[in-house]
Amino acid sequence: MNLRNLLNKEQYEAVTTIEGPLLILAGAGSGKTRVLTYRIAHMIQDLNIYPSKILAITFTNKAAGEMKDRVKALVGNEADNMWISTFHSSCVRILRREIDKLGYNKNFAIYDSYDQKVLIKQCMEELDIDEKYITGRELINKISSQKDNLISAERYKMENESNLRLNKVADVYMLYQKKLKNNNALDFDDLIYKTVQLFKENSDVLEFYQRKFQYIMIDEYQDTNKSQYELVELLAKSHKNICVVGDDDQCIYEWRGADIRNILDFEKDYPNTKVIKLEQNYRSKANILKAANDIISNNSERKTKVLRTENDNGDKIKLYRAYSDIDEGMYVSSQIKKICREQNKHYRDFAILYRTNAQSRVFEDVFMKSNIPYRIVGGLKFYDRKEIKDIMSYLKFINNPLDDVSLRRIINEPKRSIGNTTVDKVQNFAASMDECMYSVLLDIDEVLSLPKRSVSSIKKFVSLINSFIRSRDKISVSSLIKEVIETTGYIDKLKDLKDAESVSRIENLKELVSAAVEFESTSEDKSLSAFLEKVTLVSDIDNFDEDADSVVIMTVHSAKGLEFPVVFMVGMENGIFPGSQSLENSAEMEESRRLCYVGITRAKERLYMTSAESRRVFGRMVSYSQSEFLSEISSSLKEYDNINNNITTFGNRSNFNDNKSWMPRMTKKTSFEVKRDVTIKNKSEEIVNTLKAENVKAGMKVKHNKFGIGTIVSVSKNGSDIKLTIAFDKNGIKNLMYGVARLEAV
């Protein structure tokens, strides 16, 4: 394997630097996965390092799977002897072996977000906490944040004794952790938190894994939080052969705990670190990269790095200022149709990227009317569907009968005459005896006085579950699923309904069986525990099918790690992207700018950035100026789109001067059928303000054809235009630019 012929100079240096701490600053599209896979292959084939001594961590199962496939193509089956997985999957693997040292059984359940909500609700009810005082979502977020920062419930309680509200949160946190342990369950955050706890409390266990993993590689290091940082630091402490790969310019998860300081301070944490920058991009056209460089260079908290490419310049960045969000959707739709027709593109070549999921609705409506196939990444996941969660709860309970949350879900699903009152009595008695609910059900005759019908139903349920538990280790997971959906009568109930939704649910259950069959054919560990882990740890992006011929609609966050020939970044307005909070906070603004950088660098060939003069947000019409990020792109790299010369007249380009709020005036209707938010009286007549610029002043009454009558609150110069803040009588306060506001004096 001649590495010099396969890699550029910086890549080669990164691949062949093995001993000691190494920081690889990998710009977008610079071939970091290639570097990691060749580095592993070089270690195994050229340096004879045994694969089991290598630990490679990345953030998604999809990325881990791709990396393992690439390594396997280079070194063969030896790749099976090394760990290439996500943080959470690696921790589960360790905990399955060692968690008994923390007082748990090794067949612990992993609770997903639904299970968390159920357990938190139980805690709130027991502690008599009103949802209006503290919401369940707030409690989950607070507890998650503490675990990410390795703060125990006891410590959090001690630190917040004097704060009434946070003291209540601490009470929930303590009870929640107690219930998790009683249920022999961990939530998602616990997987790393408990592994760190295990290592800190058991030096012999830590030393074993330090000896085992002498070479550690962490991908996407900029996205690590405190608990992940601590886990890596503990494992790497002995040999210090740690290689981290990341891009501080792509740190976009600070809102969920990622700490950019982990990558910025790596050289302080590990003295004698070698730093290698991968700046050559193999993905995007030059103009796209230059635009990304323009924007990210405005951040101060970053390592200096400039993307470069040998690709040609390509098209300029296309900007489009729509009348409304509907017009924006129609424009995107028309461009997709046009490019498909003229350049022989497939629908899978296009991605619509937005800041928030709420923006998807308009594009869904427009694409349906335009017969454009699309798929949303981030919608209802397969494993979140009711019928799937029901059967998965059966499987989780069969695997771990201490799991009261799963038991409550399945005990009367399908209906078997065990009502909520009976279940509550069982749960309360179990809590008073400090036992799991199933233990009470096993002796239901002796411990509780219940109606004969309820007792009979419970006994049948217990007999059913016991039969599943006996089958668990004798038959395959797919066969167990079939047995559950048939023996419980679940599928028969759906067949009896005979409606379209029930037919769809039956198809979903068949798909679950297929998923289990696929798991059995590809997984070395074919146990029920392994299947449950795989399903619980799967993320939405793991199921992304790159070959499906449909336009992808997703948030910029979800798009990280993906690439598309044509990208539309929509909703590029101050207040949306960046969000209003970012405009008031420099640190949040820098993260928003990094997010914009990530979105831009998803594009390979063409990039569109669109905005709207008005859009409906939370049921009301709002008007935002164009995103500041658009003004940060050099004029030579961008141009406003002129659809068949039908709508945009740029006027004197010298007046543009990179003014972020400049908007082209609209002179004619577009060719597609869309109801405009403004009325154009004559197709060839340019819309002009009847109010002269020199007469504009604070305090005067004006009329806007959409927002109605309002009073000018303030007037300020903004480049070659005038920024007006107007308080409208029925539509609230709006910030508008005089050049496009179409105002009349009242």
Side-chain angles (χ1 to χ4, degrees):
M1 187 165 58
N2 190 335
L3 294 174
R4 288 191 182 278
N5 293 336
L6 296 167
L7 307 164
N8 66 34
K9 179 185 174 184
E10 293 79 14
Q11 289 175 335
Y12 177 82
E13 188 178 8
V15 165
T16 55
T17 301
I18 304 301
E19 302 295 325
L22 172 65
L23 170 60
I24 303 175
L25 292 171
S30 62
K32 69 180 176 67
T33 305
R34 183 179 182 83
V35 166
L36 284 171
T37 52
Y38 274 101
R39 191 172 191 270
I40 294 169
H42 171 63
M43 292 165 72
I44 295 172
Q45 289 189 331
D46 301 335
L47 304 181
N48 295 317
I49 294 172
Y50 197 66
S52 66
K53 293 184 177 181
I54 304 169
L55 172 65
I57 299 260
T58 188
F59 268 77
T60 67
N61 293 311
K62 185 175 188 292
E66 288 176 356
M67 190 183 296
K68 189 157 192 172
D69 288 343
R70 289 205 206 182
V71 172
K72 208 165 187 176
L74 294 172
V75 304
N77 291 333
E78 284 191 274
D80 293 331
N81 296 318
M82 66 173 292
W83 287 25
I84 303 177
S85 63
T86 63
F87 271 106
H88 294 94
S89 294
S90 295
C91 287
V92 168
R93 209 164 164 182
I94 292 169
L95 292 171
R96 287 290 177 208
R97 288 184 52 170
E98 315 286 356
I99 199 170
D100 56 320
K101 296 175 178 65
L102 296 177
Y104 291 77
N105 294 337
K106 292 182 180 179
N107 65 332
F108 60 85
I110 303 172
Y111 277 3
D112 60 16
S113 57
Y114 169 82
D115 301 323
Q116 268 188 297
K117 290 174 188 174
V118 171
L119 205 58
I120 286 290
K121 186 177 180 182
Q122 287 179 16
C123 293
M124 292 175 70
E125 289 172 354
E126 288 187 29
L127 295 171
D128 197 26
I129 294 175
D130 193 328
E131 178 84 16
K132 294 177 182 177
Y133 180 62
I134 308 176
T135 66
R137 171 50 52 196
E138 181 184 354
L139 288 166
I140 288 173
N141 290 339
K142 291 271 190 189
I143 292 170
S144 176
S145 177
Q146 303 320 305
K147 291 183 181 181
D148 284 348
N149 287 290
L150 299 175
I151 297 173
S152 67
E154 292 74 19
R155 177 181 160 191
Y156 189 67
K157 174 76 172 174
M158 185 175 64
E159 290 177 351
N160 294 285
E161 286 284 1
S162 59
N163 185 312
L164 183 62
R165 184 181 180 83
L166 296 184
N167 192 41
K168 284 284 187 184
V169 175
D171 289 339
V172 175
Y173 186 8
M174 292 182 71
L175 182 58
Y176 173 71
Q177 288 305 111
K178 180 185 177 183
K179 284 182 175 292
L180 279 173
K181 191 163 187 180
N182 288 344
N183 289 359
N184 193 38
L186 303 179
D187 65 20
F188 206 59
D189 299 306
D190 273 330
L191 297 177
I192 299 173
Y193 178 83
K194 290 294 179 184
T195 306
V196 172
Q197 181 186 346
L198 173 74
F199 286 162
K200 287 185 173 181
E201 295 178 4
N202 298 271
S203 58
D204 56 328
V205 176
L206 174 59
E207 288 167 10
F208 170 82
Y209 286 98
Q210 286 175 336
R211 287 194 304 272
K212 176 175 175 57
F213 300 126
Q214 295 181 23
Y215 299 90
I216 298 172
M217 284 180 279
I218 311 295
D219 191 13
E220 304 287 6
Y221 193 67
Q222 77 280 349
D223 292 333
T224 53
N225 59 27
K226 181 173 175 56
S227 62
Q228 291 161 339
Y229 168 87
E230 189 80 15
L231 178 72
V232 172
E233 197 271 337
L234 286 167
L235 287 171
K237 201 168 191 177
S238 180
H239 294 91
K240 291 189 169 55
N241 294 324
I242 177 170
C243 166
V244 301
V245 184
D247 182 3
D248 49 304
D249 289 335
Q250 295 188 69
C251 180
I252 58 174
Y253 295 112
E254 287 189 355
W255 53 276
R256 68 181 190 196
D259 187 353
I260 196 172
R261 301 309 318 175
N262 290 349
I263 193 166
L264 294 179
D265 294 341
F266 185 80
E267 294 153 272
K268 295 179 185 176
D269 296 333
Y270 296 90
N272 305 316
T273 291
K274 184 171 186 176
V275 181
I276 298 172
K277 296 180 182 180
L278 304 182
E279 297 173 293
Q280 184 167 350
N281 176 285
Y282 294 92
R283 175 191 297 158
S284 305
K285 298 289 188 181
N287 281 343
I288 293 171
L289 293 185
K290 290 173 186 175
N293 287 331
D294 278 352
I295 287 176
I296 204 63
S297 65
N298 289 279
N299 274 5
S300 58
E301 286 289 311
R302 65 185 294 262
K303 302 241 182 205
T304 304
K305 181 173 71 283
V306 179
L307 293 178
R308 63 179 188 274
T309 185
E310 294 177 2
N311 296 334
D312 59 60
N313 285 334
D315 294 337
K316 291 185 178 183
I317 314 304
K318 292 287 195 297
L319 307 184
Y320 180 72
R321 181 67 166 170
Y323 287 104
S324 66
D325 48 357
I326 297 174
D327 181 26
E328 181 182 41
M330 292 297 291
Y331 169 75
V332 171
S333 168
S334 72
Q335 290 303 294
I336 290 173
K337 291 263 191 180
K338 179 183 176 184
I339 295 170
C340 282
R341 183 175 64 251
E342 296 178 357
Q343 299 181 27
N344 199 29
K345 292 285 188 189
H346 299 282
Y347 287 120
R348 62 175 174 268
D349 295 327
F350 299 87
I352 315 299
L353 307 184
Y354 41 64
R355 180 67 183 81
T356 64
N357 280 310
Q359 292 169 256
S360 71
R361 184 193 61 79
V362 168
F363 294 97
E364 289 186 75
D365 289 348
V366 170
F367 285 0
M368 281 190 285
K369 291 172 184 174
S370 304
N371 293 317
I372 293 177
Y374 68 90
R375 54 198 155 130
I376 296 179
V377 177
L380 183 63
K381 301 175 188 176
F382 176 76
Y383 289 103
D384 284 344
R385 300 178 190 279
K386 180 187 182 302
E387 61 277 10
I388 302 302
K389 290 199 75 66
D390 286 343
I391 302 306
M392 289 301 297
S393 292
Y394 270 101
L395 298 180
K396 287 160 78 172
F397 186 70
I398 292 164
N399 192 58
N400 173 30
L402 298 176
D403 184 355
D404 287 353
V405 171
S406 293
L407 174 59
R408 279 207 67 126
R409 183 175 184 111
I410 65 174
I411 195 169
N412 200 38
E413 188 64 62
K415 302 292 185 187
R416 49 174 66 94
S417 301
I418 307 176
N420 288 335
T421 302
T422 298
V423 176
D424 288 342
K425 286 181 180 179
V426 171
Q427 183 172 338
N428 292 336
F429 184 80
S432 69
M433 300 300 291
D434 203 20
E435 293 183 356
C436 69
M437 289 175 66
Y438 197 57
S439 178
V440 176
L441 296 183
L442 289 170
D443 298 315
I444 194 67
D445 272 334
E446 300 175 18
V447 296
L448 277 176
S449 176
L450 296 172
K452 287 184 178 179
R453 186 182 179 192
S454 298
V455 171
S456 174
S457 297
I458 287 173
K459 286 184 173 180
K460 288 178 183 177
F461 173 72
V462 167
S463 176
L464 189 67
I465 293 297
N466 286 343
S467 71
F468 293 148
I469 292 173
R470 288 192 295 271
S471 297
R472 180 184 63 194
D473 299 324
K474 297 177 183 176
I475 62 177
S476 66
V477 174
S478 57
S479 297
L480 181 60
I481 294 172
K482 289 179 185 176
E483 187 174 318
V484 169
I485 62 177
E486 291 168 4
T487 311
T488 59
Y490 195 99
I491 203 161
D492 290 334
K493 291 282 186 183
L494 291 176
K495 287 177 179 177
D496 289 344
L497 293 174
K498 296 179 181 178
D499 57 18
E501 184 180 357
S502 299
V503 171
S504 176
R505 288 182 171 183
I506 291 170
E507 291 302 314
N508 288 336
L509 291 174
K510 290 178 181 177
E511 183 60 30
L512 179 62
V513 175
S514 298
V517 170
E518 182 182 344
F519 158 79
E520 290 156 5
S521 66
T522 58
S523 178
E524 186 177 331
D525 183 353
K526 305 183 192 306
S527 66
L528 177 58
S529 291
F531 177 70
L532 292 171
E533 284 165 21
K534 180 180 182 295
V535 169
T536 306
L537 298 180
V538 75
S539 68
D540 205 28
I541 199 65
D542 292 330
N543 295 320
F544 177 67
D545 181 2
E546 295 177 353
D547 296 324
D549 193 24
S550 52
V551 175
V552 179
I553 306 177
M554 66 203 311
T555 64
V556 184
H557 282 100
S558 296
K560 190 166 176 287
L562 302 177
E563 58 185 47
F564 304 89
V566 184
V567 168
F568 291 85
M569 292 180 67
V570 300
M572 298 301 299
E573 298 147 41
N574 289 330
I576 296 179
F577 199 173
S580 54
Q581 286 183 316
S582 297
L583 294 168
E584 300 168 1
N585 183 296
S586 59
E588 289 192 20
M589 189 64 171
E590 292 216 350
E591 179 160 7
S592 284
R593 193 174 280 113
R594 292 194 294 269
L595 187 62
C596 185
Y597 171 87
V598 167
I600 289 173
T601 53
R602 298 313 94 197
K604 296 166 68 175
E605 300 170 14
R606 304 183 73 173
L607 174 65
Y608 292 76
M609 303 179 83
T610 68
S611 61
E613 287 186 43
S614 65
R615 68 175 64 245
R616 194 170 293 280
V617 177
F618 294 118
R620 65 187 186 89
M621 295 303 294
V622 298
S623 179
Y624 296 126
S625 60
Q626 289 187 98
S627 171
E628 288 192 18
F629 300 145
L630 300 185
S631 70
E632 295 175 353
I633 300 173
S634 300
S635 299
S636 60
L637 301 175
K638 62 191 177 186
E639 62 184 7
Y640 275 85
D641 196 16
N642 181 343
I643 307 176
N644 300 323
N645 296 317
N646 276 341
I647 61 169
T648 307
T649 300
F650 288 92
N652 186 352
R653 275 299 189 90
S654 63
N655 292 331
F656 181 24
N657 292 331
D658 258 351
N659 174 12
K660 66 193 174 195
S661 299
W662 180 90
M663 307 170 194
R665 289 189 177 178
M666 317 307 281
T667 58
K668 296 184 181 180
K669 286 188 179 180
T670 59
S671 57
F672 34 80
E673 295 298 320
V674 56
K675 183 179 180 180
R676 295 301 190 190
D677 288 300
V678 295
T679 302
I680 302 176
K681 295 180 179 179
N682 187 299
K683 288 186 179 180
S684 59
E685 179 185 1
E686 182 178 0
I687 298 175
V688 296
N689 289 309
T690 59
L691 177 65
K692 299 296 183 183
E694 58 268 23
N695 296 331
V696 173
K697 61 183 179 181
M700 71 184 303
K701 285 275 188 181
V702 293
K703 181 180 180 182
H704 186 276
N705 58 355
K706 273 189 308 204
F707 303 131
I709 304 295
T711 303
I712 298 177
V713 177
S714 67
V715 180
S716 59
K717 188 73 174 173
N718 194 312
S720 61
D721 208 338
I722 302 171
K723 181 179 179 180
L724 306 174
T725 299
I726 305 174
F728 289 99
D729 297 348
K730 296 182 179 180
N731 287 285
I733 296 175
K734 309 290 181 187
N735 291 315
L736 304 176
M737 302 308 297
Y738 167 80
V740 291
R742 295 178 292 278
L743 298 172
E744 298 177 23
V746 176

